[in-house]
Amino acid sequence: MTRPTTATPVSTPRRWAVAVGFALVPVVFTAAGAAIAQIMELSDVSASLVLAATTALSAAIGVLGLSLRGGLRAGGLRAPRRLREALWLLPALAVVLIVIATQPPTASPSLWLASAVLLAAVAANEEVWFRGNVLSVLRPLGAGVAIGGSTLLFAVLHLANLAGGESIPATVLQVAFAAVFGLVAAQLVVLTGSLWPGIVWHAVWNFANVIGGNLTTPWALTGIGVAIVVLIMYSLLLARRIAAPTASEARG
């Protein structure tokens, strides 16, 4: 008589190691695309399309990872569970108005389409990896740990902006925003069960910044600071909503 076998639980250190590895994948593909564009001395439009191709490839690998690890629906590639949960995206989209007010569009319209393609790929890439693969691999440690861990990795990897020549104050503010953005995006996934709200928000936010020139003027940085405050308040609201038991849970 053979004994039934059980799956060996994954240790906490191993989960964190896998999470860090997942977080590095989109960074590597983005850096590769930027390097190719620079080596080939491409125009802005061509460079955007090359970068879009490498980030889309990274996103596709991330989607494959979600599929192999537990299925696409379980990984968040599904519609929000209920319409009212999808409406939680609206306050997040509202902060885009702050960017528009502090960084009016300055980019050439000829770049808008290429930028839209690129930023849609970037949004899908980062959300699939950070709020998809990273979040899901940490979920067995608890929702709070998963949200915090994915947020920390997302923020720390934005320190790479220093290598791009950004000033320290501007980078600190951008990293702070990345942390709050990552926190809210992860909370939206936990609340709605879907990656799509975060992908849409991520793409719209990035597009508004890019066509506004990604300025680091005092007025533009003030706008980012205001957005951080608004998102912190929004995050507290989401945290309360996530912690609140559902009606069925309350009935026992």
Side-chain angles (χ1 to χ4, degrees):
M1 179 176 179
T2 59
R3 296 181 179 179
T5 57
T6 57
T8 302
V10 179
S11 66
T12 297
R14 184 178 176 184
R15 285 191 181 280
W16 280 105
V18 172
V20 171
F22 283 164
L24 290 173
V25 174
V27 176
V28 169
F29 274 86
T30 300
I36 291 171
Q38 185 173 9
I39 291 171
M40 297 180 66
E41 298 182 348
L42 300 176
S43 66
D44 289 342
V45 172
S46 297
S48 294
L49 294 177
V50 166
L51 194 53
T54 57
T55 52
L57 175 60
S58 175
I61 294 172
V63 169
L64 177 61
L66 287 176
S67 177
L68 294 176
R69 293 185 60 255
L72 297 183
R73 287 178 61 83
L77 285 175
R78 47 165 293 169
R81 287 184 286 258
R82 292 185 294 273
L83 176 60
R84 68 180 183 181
E85 291 176 338
L87 295 179
W88 282 102
L89 174 62
L90 296 181
L93 288 174
V95 300
V96 176
L97 298 177
I98 298 173
V99 178
I100 296 173
T102 57
Q103 300 183 55
T106 58
S108 169
S110 63
L111 292 176
W112 284 24
L113 180 57
S115 296
V117 172
L118 168 60
L119 297 173
V122 168
N125 183 35
E126 295 189 349
E127 294 305 313
V128 163
W129 282 105
F130 285 97
R131 261 68 69 177
N133 286 291
V134 172
L135 189 71
S136 63
V137 80
L138 294 177
R139 278 299 284 274
L141 304 179
V145 173
I147 291 171
S150 63
T151 298
L152 177 63
L153 291 172
F154 187 66
V156 167
L157 290 175
H158 275 73
L159 288 171
N161 289 341
L162 281 172
E166 292 279 9
S167 67
I168 292 179
T171 298
V172 168
L173 194 58
Q174 290 169 1
V175 169
F177 179 82
V180 181
F181 181 98
L183 174 61
V184 171
Q187 289 174 316
L188 286 172
V189 173
V190 172
L191 181 62
T192 68
S194 173
L195 289 171
W196 290 111
I199 291 173
V200 171
W201 178 35
H202 201 149
V204 172
W205 172 269
N206 283 351
F207 184 72
N209 276 277
V210 167
I211 65 174
N214 274 322
L215 301 179
T216 55
T217 62
W219 183 236
L221 295 179
T222 298
I224 295 177
V226 172
I228 289 173
V229 173
V230 171
L231 288 178
I232 288 175
M233 296 173 63
Y234 181 42
S235 173
L236 294 174
L237 177 63
L238 291 174
R240 292 183 61 183
R241 178 66 182 84
I242 291 170
T246 63
S248 60
E249 290 171 338
R251 289 194 297 268

